[in-house]
């Protein structure tokens, strides 16, 4: 099976049509069709149905989708590992939940680059479930996530207790979301807790998965939103942001997950740096209200 066939299949699903997939891949529509036919011929199953609403996966296509995604991820990792830049000794693939990059994983990368400049890094982000699957597939070496699955062959190490607080540009800060509320999608756990605490909340001013962008929007235009306490701590200290501690606080422990394997000097260095950065990232409790 050709990796190009699997990548073409995924692009057709992502774009919804053969024409759009051809444009994104910079190939002709006939080449897209030929690759899909060849793929279906090798598997002995029809993977796609074409209709007026666009291209839809068949039952077999649904089953093949995750395998195609894993194949492409593995291929990209292999290319990255084999094609090390000159002067680099090894490569490390790291993954992190959306909410954990700002103020934690970005500083970790900076610290790791300083501690081990001959280590090439590949960074991925996503939700905990997807990153856990990447660990299982072997496309990520270490991931920092919430609610990890208990899987044999992996170490699940507590890293820090993440607190999402309702930060506001108003003073005093309101005890619940109001006008100018920014909803940041921090993942399924946060979505569940948010619905339970604010079941009648009106549509927010901004709905986003990008925490850094949402915080910039908040400080520029005013309002409120849920953000990690460690991220808004500088704004609180500067008097730009305010927190009413009567508002619900959502706590989620974060873990670093990595495989149990033979000793790996570079992974050990990365884990030590992550522990240190996590300890430095935890804000003091004083002056947060």
């Amino acid at each position: 099976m050709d990796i190009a066939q699997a990548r073409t299949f995924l692009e057709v699903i992502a774009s919804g049509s053969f024409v759009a997939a051809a444009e994104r891949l910079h190939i002709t529509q006939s080449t897209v069709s030929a690759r899909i036919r060849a793929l279906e011929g090798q598997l002995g199953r029809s993977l796609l149905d074409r209709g007026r609403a666009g291209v839809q996966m068949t039952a077999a296509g649904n089953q093949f989708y995750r395998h195609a995604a894993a194949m492409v991820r593995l291929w990209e990792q292999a290319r990255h590992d084999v094609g090390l830049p000159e002067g680099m000794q090894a490569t490390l693939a790291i993954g992190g939940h959306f909410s954990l990059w700002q103020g934690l994983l970005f500083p970790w990368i900076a610290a790791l680059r300083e501690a081990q400049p001959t280590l090439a890094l590949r960074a991925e982000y996503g939700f905990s479930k997807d990153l856990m699957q990447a660990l299982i597939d072997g496309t990520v070496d270490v991931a920092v996530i919430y609610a990890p699955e208990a899987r044999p062959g992996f170490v699940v190490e507590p890293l820090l207790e993440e607190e999402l607080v309702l930060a506001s540009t108003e003073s005093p800060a309101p005890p619940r979301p109001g006008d100018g509320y920014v909803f940041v999608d921090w993942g399924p756990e946060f979505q569940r807790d948010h619905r339970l605490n604010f079941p009648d909340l009106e549509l927010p001013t901004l709905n986003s998965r990008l925490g850094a962008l949402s915080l910039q929007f908040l400080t520029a235009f005013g309002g409120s939103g849920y953000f990690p306490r460690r991220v808004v701590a500088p704004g609180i200290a500067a008097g730009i942001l305010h927190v009413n501690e009567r508002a619900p606080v959502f706590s989620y422990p974060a873990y670093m997950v990595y495989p149990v394997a033979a000793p790996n000097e570079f992974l050990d260095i990365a884990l030590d740096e992550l522990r240190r950065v996590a300890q430095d990232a935890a804000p003091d409790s004083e002056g947060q209200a």
Side-chain angles (χ1 to χ4, degrees):
M1 185 177 296
D2 193 333
I3 290 295
Q5 294 174 358
R7 183 178 283 112
T8 302
F9 170 78
L10 294 173
E11 197 60 62
V12 170
I13 299 305
S15 62
S17 75
F18 281 52
V19 174
E23 292 176 352
R24 292 187 182 185
L25 294 171
H26 305 290
I27 57 178
T28 64
Q29 184 181 349
S30 61
T31 300
V32 171
S33 299
R35 288 180 180 178
I36 297 300
R37 283 197 304 270
L39 183 59
E40 291 177 328
Q42 293 176 48
L43 294 172
R45 293 288 186 275
S46 176
L47 301 176
L48 300 170
D49 282 333
R50 300 196 213 188
R52 292 183 178 179
V55 177
Q56 302 291 329
M57 285 186 289
T58 63
N62 269 299
Q63 291 293 322
F64 178 67
Y65 182 88
R66 64 185 179 90
H67 298 293
M71 288 168 55
V72 172
R73 285 197 304 268
L74 284 168
W75 173 248
E76 292 299 331
Q77 183 182 15
R79 290 181 59 193
H80 179 80
D81 292 349
V82 172
L84 280 175
E86 186 177 352
M88 295 294 172
Q89 292 183 289
T91 183
L92 190 72
I94 62 178
H97 189 278
F98 289 104
S99 69
L100 293 167
W101 280 96
Q102 187 179 8
L104 178 64
L105 300 189
F106 283 134
W108 175 37
I109 288 180
L112 191 53
R113 294 290 297 144
E114 183 176 352
Q116 190 53 257
T118 60
L119 178 63
L121 298 173
R122 180 168 57 84
E124 296 189 8
Y125 65 89
F127 287 129
S128 298
K129 181 179 180 181
D130 298 326
L131 292 171
M132 191 69 207
Q133 186 60 52
L135 281 165
I136 295 168
D137 293 340
T139 58
V140 165
D141 297 307
V142 55
V144 185
I145 58 179
Y146 305 117
E149 300 175 26
R151 291 289 187 118
F154 289 93
V155 176
V156 177
E157 181 179 328
L159 188 62
L160 57 79
E161 186 74 18
E162 184 82 290
E163 281 191 344
L164 297 179
V165 297
L166 183 61
S168 174
T169 54
E170 297 181 45
S171 179
R176 59 174 285 118
D179 293 339
Y181 180 59
V182 174
F183 177 83
V184 186
D185 184 358
W186 296 117
E189 298 86 0
F190 174 72
Q191 293 174 20
R192 177 200 62 215
D193 293 339
H194 193 275
R195 284 194 301 268
L196 289 173
N197 282 271
F198 309 114
D200 302 321
L201 190 66
E202 297 181 358
L203 289 175
T205 299
L206 175 69
N207 192 319
S208 172
R209 284 187 177 180
L210 302 176
L213 174 63
S214 301
L215 187 57
Q216 290 179 14
F217 181 92
L218 178 67
T219 54
F221 299 103
S224 63
Y226 270 95
F227 296 91
R229 189 187 291 276
R230 58 183 170 78
V231 172
V232 297
I236 295 172
I240 300 172
L241 297 173
H242 311 275
V243 170
N244 187 327
E245 296 296 346
R246 290 182 297 149
V249 175
F250 305 123
S251 296
Y252 306 106
Y255 303 84
M256 57 181 183
V257 185
Y258 50 94
V260 178
N264 183 322
E265 175 189 354
F266 294 103
L267 179 58
D268 289 342
I269 293 172
L271 297 178
D272 286 341
E273 289 297 324
L274 179 54
R275 295 182 187 105
R276 183 182 62 78
V277 170
Q279 186 174 8
D280 293 342
D284 296 331
S285 58
E286 298 179 2
Q288 297 299 311

